[in-house]
Amino acid sequence: EVQLVESGGGLEQPGGALRLSCAASGFTFNRYGMAWVRQAPGKGLEWVSAISGTGDSTYYGDSVKGRFTISRDNSKNTVYLQMNSLRPEDTAVYYCAKDRWARETTVVTPGDWGQGTLITVSS
Amino acid sequence: QAVVTQEPSLTVSPGGTVTLTCGSSTGAVTSGHYPFWFQQRPGQAPRTLIYDTDAKESWTPARFSGSLLGGKAALTLSGAQPEDEAQYHCLLSYSAGRPVFGGGTKLTVL
């Protein structure tokens, strides 16, 4: 059974930093692209970032480019999202998602989702 | 970037049938957009219901089906249950860009 467990959320001040983690199990982690998708309160789903199975390729949404960094440690079956220069508009639930298929790509189409972790950016 | 449109809200009676649609600003939705449908119950994470237009995940109830209808992707719910009350999101893939989420449809079972 696929499991994706996010951690690292919380309250942070504008300009601050947080690091999210997504611990994965139940599949061959290094064969799948992984993504972070967020959902602001009462809003739809928004791509944040994605990373290929090897970690060689990454993608960032325009709203986070230059501030967030995605990475993965295939020895620990974990994907990370380093979030710097946080803004109030980054307030959202952040979901970790696994690609539906085993392929080397950042174009993730989610087959499995984590439970999400809430980030609140406020002074 | 393309814009993907969904009905903001729909209501269905218990036991009734409802069709949610997913359109693209670039024109007709085809199987080449590999439509996905996700269900998100209140306070929960999304879960994948349908992929590649009409393929179901192992956990997808039989009352849900995906199709192409009138130039859009469609999700049909036949025999609505109270637990089907949720937000439904679609996702379309584009050969010349990233996959794009629709804005979601809030489905009320009433």
Side-chain angles (χ1 to χ4, degrees), chain A:
Chain A
E1 179 194 3
V2 172
Q3 286 200 328
L4 302 170
V5 180
E6 300 98 333
S7 59
L11 174 65
E12 184 56 65
Q13 294 186 342
L18 284 172
R19 188 174 86 152
L20 305 184
S21 300
C22 171
S25 61
F27 62 100
T28 306
F29 184 68
N30 62 9
R31 296 187 63 199
Y32 288 82
M34 300 291 293
W36 290 95
V37 178
R38 69 185 181 185
Q39 187 174 37
K43 301 295 186 181
L45 300 173
E46 178 190 8
W47 292 108
V48 175
S49 186
I51 188 166
S52 63
T54 61
D56 289 345
S57 300
T58 58
Y59 158 79
Y60 297 96
D62 288 342
S63 59
V64 307
K65 208 170 291 184
R67 300 188 298 124
F68 291 9
T69 303
I70 192 170
S71 61
R72 64 191 295 160
D73 185 336
N74 286 345
S75 68
K76 296 182 178 179
N77 286 5
T78 301
V79 61
Y80 304 97
L81 187 68
Q82 178 66 43
M83 310 164 65
N84 296 334
S85 303
L86 284 163
R87 304 168 179 170
E89 54 265 36
D90 295 320
T91 295
V93 176
Y94 285 71
Y95 296 103
C96 173
K98 164 189 163 290
D99 197 4
R100 179 65 181 66
W101 294 276
R103 51 184 181 169
E104 179 67 7
T105 183
T106 63
V107 183
V108 171
T109 46
D112 298 276
W113 299 75
Q115 85 286 354
T117 187
L118 175 63
I119 305 298
T120 303
V121 183
S122 174
S123 54

Side-chain angles (χ1 to χ4, degrees), chain B residues 15-27:
Chain B
T17 296
V18 64
T19 297
L20 291 65
T21 67
C22 176
S24 174
S25 63
T26 62

Side-chain angles (χ1 to χ4, degrees), chain B residues 36-97:
Chain B
F36 272 61
W37 290 94
F38 309 100
Q39 178 193 60
Q40 186 177 27
R41 291 174 172 148
Q44 295 187 15
R47 68 169 183 165
T48 307
L49 284 182
I50 300 286
Y51 63 96
D52 287 357
T53 305
D54 57 5
K56 297 182 184 181
E57 297 288 3
S58 58
W59 52 78
T60 303
R63 59 185 180 273
F64 288 95
S65 62
S67 65
L68 297 175
L69 195 64
K72 297 182 179 182
L75 176 70
T76 299
L77 170 59
S78 303
Q81 302 297 309
E83 61 265 30
D84 299 330
E85 186 160 296
Q87 188 91 357
Y88 291 83
H89 308 272
C90 70
L91 178 73
L92 298 180
S93 296
Y94 294 86
S95 57

